[in-house]
């Protein structure tokens, strides 16, 4: 891996390079995606079936679009019982963690008759998109469905592309069933997003769409935002490790590679105050790459977006960490908890040398759907918050309103909204 | 006002009619807005100055783009002291309410050395857009700035168009100063949104943009979403009143009109179980309209989007309320708190006959930036939540990881991510 001295200029160059991966520059596919959405909106099921034949090579209709109980039973027979066991253990951890995120309705009252509050209501129907294609990610099913379930969403719909044979991956089905999905439809791509946003004869309209997907899915989600809510658009995966001389170079190298293997756009960055560590990690990375099955991807990803940065001071290193705002951040320093208090921007923070990033991907409990590409400056991990919404509650008695009603009238009149003023005044006429 | 019998069909027709007002169908202006954004991104201040001259007729440059302390002092001299007094009272209520929304970092630990948690961090820099033009809304300044302030945002930037004379409305400046805005720039329109999203020589790049605006502002916000965060795109204002025979028809009529006066796209709907009330409210509406200053707007708005619906049962009425998911909802029934528990979807719920909607616009404390156009099904009022973001915290000791590490390896291998598996395994190689 390349080793660079961390300067303000290096930092800015890297930031600029990383932003090339932004899902915001997908404009070229937009019109194709908009056509698909428009078609599904108008022709509904008919368009969904056509696109599924065209893109996935599968013939589906109203009778077989929905995964049956029989198919789910088959899937259970096909999945390795050891994997099922791990899915169940992970599920408990994920549910426990997300349960702690629950927010509750509250109100506050005073003796004059003022009641103010906030009512928390789960969304009613949520659509979870699960990619098909090359990779199977049952962990992604768990991470998207469980927070919705914990929030109390009563209807969780999943869509995922099927193969030419009309089948969905068994591990996807098993994970969905374990997590508590209510219905699964064999549709993928922008057509699935459009169907969830507007509804068809077979697929119900949802309030929110979550889940990862390719560029068509990402663009379709952006296009239907406003008609429904969406989670944020995920960019390529990222890891940043902040380490000092106390870190184990072999662990650090292995963790950098765990993200580099995702795809050629993934980014892996070590920032360290130790030149010795920088050298050692670089050597360990080379050794590991040789023996890993995805070495082609890893090499490209490291060439494109892999860096080892040597900082003069820990404060410089921390500043860069906060500027880059990585999806995953590992802290491997002498006092990692103290370091953590100085971190403003990161999707998930892994503290100490045994908190390897994949622990969070699969098992520990916090969500692995995290803000990428610098958006950790303003976005949060997927959470129970994404599946609830709030309503303000306002109640004033006559006794409470009377002493302040003239103030409100005054404010409304200053904004020249006389009907606003009237609605307050009418309550105290003669 | 027209009186209709509430049926499933009436409900669906109204829903369809209301959705015509959706800010999602603004496509026609998109290319113009995209040009402005592209220009500001490339030419920065230069483009901002050009557009300000073109659209606002004002000559600004790097020396006068920012509102000075002197100008703020002048504004204080021009604002009616009674209005200042009301602004200050409202500010205290708004701050008190939003303070109750604060969320805190938490963590949970166990004896095996597992620490999981969630770190809450305020956004660093926020941009608040304040419209200029026909109307002046100091209340909007308070509602957008105070939650950011309460969240702990350290840099709150405001942009608002100036008049041809380079001046900003005094009440806007005073409200901004009172609420604690850090810098005010005299820029409006899509060019202001682009400047906030990408930064210029004069205007700093922000993490999130909030605040209402015209169609150009709304489209620009949608376009920069992803580069920065935004609040939701506001549609026209809405009120829904759910009332039974106990309601005062004069109060109900006045409250319907308070929203109808906003603009011709505003919607005002009464749903009631009482035919007598329906008739009386209609009469009272006619009487009020005659004497209100904005009667032209009100008439059009009522013709377009005003309805009185008579429901057979309270349950039917509640179902329609939940389907329409109004921005503002007043409950004027015998047991309004009990009714409230059945409401799933509404931006703000006003309970009882003295809780007139404008009380919430100006004074009570809850935010008046609310989800419109049915989006209360999945969006929430603007709140402190909008100005914080979260990071997951994960820490496992060696003792905690060891008993589960093989499970994680198994999960990673099932997903064919061997570098993920490697990063866990390497920690236990002898």
């Amino acid at each position: 891996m390349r080793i660079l001295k961390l300067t303000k200029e290096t930092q800015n160059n890297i930031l600029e390079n990383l932003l090339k991966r932004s899902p915001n520059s997908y404009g070229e596919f937009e019109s194709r995606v908009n056509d698909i959405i428009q078609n599904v909106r108008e022709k509904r099921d008919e368009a969904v079936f056509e696109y599924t034949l065209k893109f996935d090579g599968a013939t589906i209709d109203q009778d077989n679009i929905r995964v049956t109980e029989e198919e789910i039973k088959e899937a259970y027979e096909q999945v390795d019982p050891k994997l099922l066991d791990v899915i169940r253990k992970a599920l408990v951890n994920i549910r426990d963690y997300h349960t702690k995120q629950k927010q509750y309705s509250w109100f506050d009252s005073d003796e004059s008759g003022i009641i103010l509050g906030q009512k928390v209501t789960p969304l009613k129907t949520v659509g979870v998109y699960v990619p098909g294609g090359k990779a199977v990610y049952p962990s992604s099913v768990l991470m998207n469905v469980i927070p919705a379930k914990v929030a109390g969403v009563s209807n969780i719909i999943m869509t995922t592309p099927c193969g030419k044979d009309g089948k969905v991956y068994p591990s996807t089905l098993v994970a969905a069933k374990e997590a508590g999905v209510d219905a699964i439809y064999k549709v993928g791509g922008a057509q699935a997003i459009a169907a969830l946003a507007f509804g068809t004869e077979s697929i119900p309209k949802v309030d929110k769409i979550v889940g990862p997907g390719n560029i068509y899915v990402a663009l379709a989600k952006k296009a239907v935002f406003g008609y429904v809510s969406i989670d944020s658009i995920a960019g390529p995966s990222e890891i940043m490790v902040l380490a000092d001389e106390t870190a184990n170079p072999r662990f650090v190298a292995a963790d950098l590679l765990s993200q580099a293997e995702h795809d050629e756009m993934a980014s892996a960055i070590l920032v360290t105050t130790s030149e010795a560590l920088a050298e050692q990690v670089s050597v360990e990375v080379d050794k590991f790459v040789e023996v890993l099955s995805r070495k082609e991807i890893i090499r490209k990803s490291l060439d494109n977006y892999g860096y080892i940065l040597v900082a003069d001071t820990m404060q410089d290193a921390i500043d860069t960490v906060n500027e880059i705002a990585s999806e995953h951040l590992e802290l491997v320093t002498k006092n990692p908890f103290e370091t953590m208090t100085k971190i403003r921007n990161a999707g998930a923070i892994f503290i100490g040398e045994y908190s390897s990033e994949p622990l969070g991907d699969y098992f520990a409990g916090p969500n692995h759907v995290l803000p990428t590409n610098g958006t950790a400056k303003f976005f949060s991990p997927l959470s129970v918050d994404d599946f609830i919404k709030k309503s303000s509650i306002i109640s004033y008695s006559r006794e409470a309103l009377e002493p302040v009603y003239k103030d409100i009238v005054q404010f409304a009149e200053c904004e020249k909204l006389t009907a606003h003023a009237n609605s307050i005044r009418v309550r105290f006429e003669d």
Side-chain angles (χ1 to χ4, degrees), chain A residues 7-18:
Chain A
T7 62
K8 194 83 188 165
E9 202 193 335
T10 333
Q11 177 200 290
N12 291 342
N13 289 341
I14 293 173
L15 270 171
E16 204 175 301
N17 188 38
L18 292 176

Side-chain angles (χ1 to χ4, degrees), chain A residues 14-15 18 23 41 64 72 77 95 120 165 201-202 227 268 276 284 291 310 341 389:
Chain A
I14 293 173
L15 270 171
L18 292 176
R41 232 181 136 170
N64 69 9
I72 291 173
E77 286 156 14
R95 191 163 51 206
V120 175
D165 57 356
E201 296 88 339
S202 299
Y227 295 102
E284 293 295 335
V291 298
V310 182
T341 62
K389 40 91 185 185

Side-chain angles (χ1 to χ4, degrees), chain A residues 55-314:
Chain A
F55 297 130
D56 303 328
T59 306
I60 54 165
D61 55 36
Q62 287 183 0
D63 294 329
N64 69 9
I65 188 173
R66 185 167 168 180
V67 171
T68 62
E69 281 303 315
E70 190 59 37
E71 286 174 294
I72 291 173
K73 230 182 101 193
E74 268 175 42
Y76 270 87
E77 286 156 14
Q78 287 163 18
V79 163
D80 182 344
K82 269 194 271 175
L83 177 64
L84 179 57
D85 184 50
V86 182
I87 286 177
R88 286 180 174 160
K89 284 187 196 166
L91 192 144
V92 170
N93 287 348
I94 299 167
R95 191 163 51 206
D96 285 354
Y97 179 82
H98 286 82
T99 300
K100 291 174 191 153
Q101 291 178 327
K102 278 196 84 163
Q103 295 186 50
Y104 297 90
S105 301
W106 56 264
F107 71 91
D108 223 348
S109 55
D110 78 2
E111 288 174 10
S112 78
I114 298 176
I115 302 174
L116 298 176
Q118 196 170 262
K119 185 171 196 278
V120 175
T121 312
L123 305 193
K124 201 168 168 190
T125 309
V126 163
V128 177
Y129 186 86
V130 177
K134 287 168 282 179
V136 203
Y137 296 130
S139 62
S140 171
V141 175
L142 302 182
M143 291 294 184
N144 281 281
V145 173
I146 295 169
K149 202 80 192 167
V150 170
V153 174
S154 51
N155 199 13
I156 303 175
I157 304 298
M158 183 162 126
T159 67
T160 187
C162 59
K164 285 185 182 144
D165 57 356
K167 298 275 177 203
V168 175
Y169 288 114
S171 56
T172 300
L173 293 184
V174 165
K177 180 74 182 173
E178 293 291 320
V181 168
D182 297 288
I184 306 168
Y185 297 93
K186 300 172 179 177
V187 188
Q191 59 274 21
I193 302 302
L196 291 169
F198 300 107
T200 71
E201 296 88 339
S202 299
I203 299 175
K205 175 177 168 32
V206 302
D207 297 318
K208 181 164 188 162
I209 302 172
V210 300
N214 63 17
I215 182 170
Y216 295 99
V217 170
L219 277 174
K221 276 166 65 181
K222 196 167 175 180
V224 300
F225 175 63
Y227 295 102
V228 296
S229 178
I230 60 166
D231 58 356
S232 47
I233 308 287
S237 193
E238 300 161 350
I239 187 169
M240 195 152 191
V241 181
L242 173 61
D244 61 19
E245 71 287 352
T246 64
N248 179 323
R250 218 168 140 71
F251 296 1
V252 172
D255 292 359
L256 291 171
L257 295 172
S258 75
Q259 294 311 293
E261 82 168 333
H262 269 296
D263 62 72
E264 295 165 13
M265 305 266 274
S267 162
I269 302 175
L270 164 65
V271 191
T272 178
T273 46
S274 160
E275 263 194 74
L277 183 78
E279 299 289 349
Q280 291 161 340
V281 168
S282 179
V283 171
E284 293 295 335
V285 162
D286 289 342
K287 282 199 270 178
F288 278 131
V289 174
E290 279 315 301
V291 298
L292 287 168
S293 63
R294 294 164 72 89
K295 65 181 159 197
E296 297 308 319
I297 294 174
I298 293 176
R299 280 213 184 96
K300 284 197 187 136
S301 145
L302 292 182
D303 280 353
N304 291 334
Y305 304 109
Y307 300 94
I308 295 175
L309 302 173
V310 182
D312 281 339
T313 67
M314 188 46 81

